[in-house]
């Protein structure tokens, strides 16, 4: 049995329909998905959806997800940043471990951090010497925080035990109990220190940040 081919006059309307309907379906589905995901994220995770911002007295002092520098000795210091703590330039150094420049930078940082915190160079926590892949890691290891306790306590004229207790209270366990290592959010810890009412209140007025 012979079947006559579809005439060109019939195929032409189909092409136009596809040309009109396909973009509408793509745009409609994309817009609907974006709208629903935004609404659901805002409803279920309002803090995270708005940037995990940390506030005090109605003022935004930073994000729990983004590292920032602190200049005063009465503050805990974050990891070094290849991006100079600029979120718009987030990146690592991309230097290999065998790179002489990287080795020299780590050696210089080890000496500087050891002098700053009053510890032996061999005792400096590794994450206070190395930069994260993004350059914006907001957390440090519990060991790195504990290393800074004596310096911070001295600068704030607080008992070492008081500052150590704040570190312990701010320590977060492994994610889901298995991922990563226990850690401390530097900004949250410094906010807790300022909240202790010891006179060090640089956060929020610019004193914390290096130029």
């Amino acid at each position: 049995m012979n079947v006559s081919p579809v005439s060109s006059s019939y195929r032409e309307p189909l092409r136009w329909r596809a040309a009109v309907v396909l973009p509408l379906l793509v745009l409609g589905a994309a817009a609907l998905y974006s709208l629903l995901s935004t609404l659901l994220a805002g409803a279920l995770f309002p803090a995270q959806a708005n940037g995990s911002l940390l506030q005090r007295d109605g003022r935004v002092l930073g994000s729990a997800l983004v590292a920032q520098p602190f200049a005063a000795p009465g503050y805990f210091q974050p990891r070094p940043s290849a991006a100079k703590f600029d979120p718009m330039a987030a990146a690592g150094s991309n230097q290999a471990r065998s790179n002489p420049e990287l080795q020299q930078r780590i050696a210089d940082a080890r000496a500087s951090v050891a002098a700053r915190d009053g510890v032996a160079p061999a005792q400096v926590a590794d994450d206070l010497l190395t930069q994260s892949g993004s350059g914006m890691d907001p957390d440090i290891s519990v060991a790195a925080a504990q290393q800074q306790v004596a310096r911070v306590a001295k600068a704030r004229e607080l008992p070492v035990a008081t500052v150590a207790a704040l570190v312990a209270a701010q320590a977060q366990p492994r994610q889901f109990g298995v991922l990563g290592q226990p850690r401390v959010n530097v900004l949250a810890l410094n906010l807790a220190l300022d909240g202790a009412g010891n006179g060090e209140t640089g956060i929020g007025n610019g004193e914390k940040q290096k130029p």
Side-chain angles (χ1 to χ4, degrees), residues 23-43:
L24 290 178
L25 288 175
V26 172
L27 290 175
L32 183 61
Y33 172 80
S34 300
L35 178 62
L36 288 178
S37 61
T38 300
L39 292 176
L40 285 174

Side-chain angles (χ1 to χ4, degrees), residues 4 18 20 28 30 34 37 72 85 100 103 126 136 150 152 154 167 178 186 191 193 200 210-211:
S4 60
V20 173
S34 300
S37 61
F85 299 100
Q103 294 175 352
D126 289 342
M136 305 303 298
V152 172
K154 181 179 179 181
V167 170
V178 294
V186 177
L191 283 171
L193 281 167
E200 190 81 54
K210 298 178 181 178

Side-chain angles (χ1 to χ4, degrees), residues 66-67 83-91 134 136:
V66 180
K84 308 298 183 185
F85 299 100
D86 180 1
M88 302 304 295
S134 68
M136 305 303 298

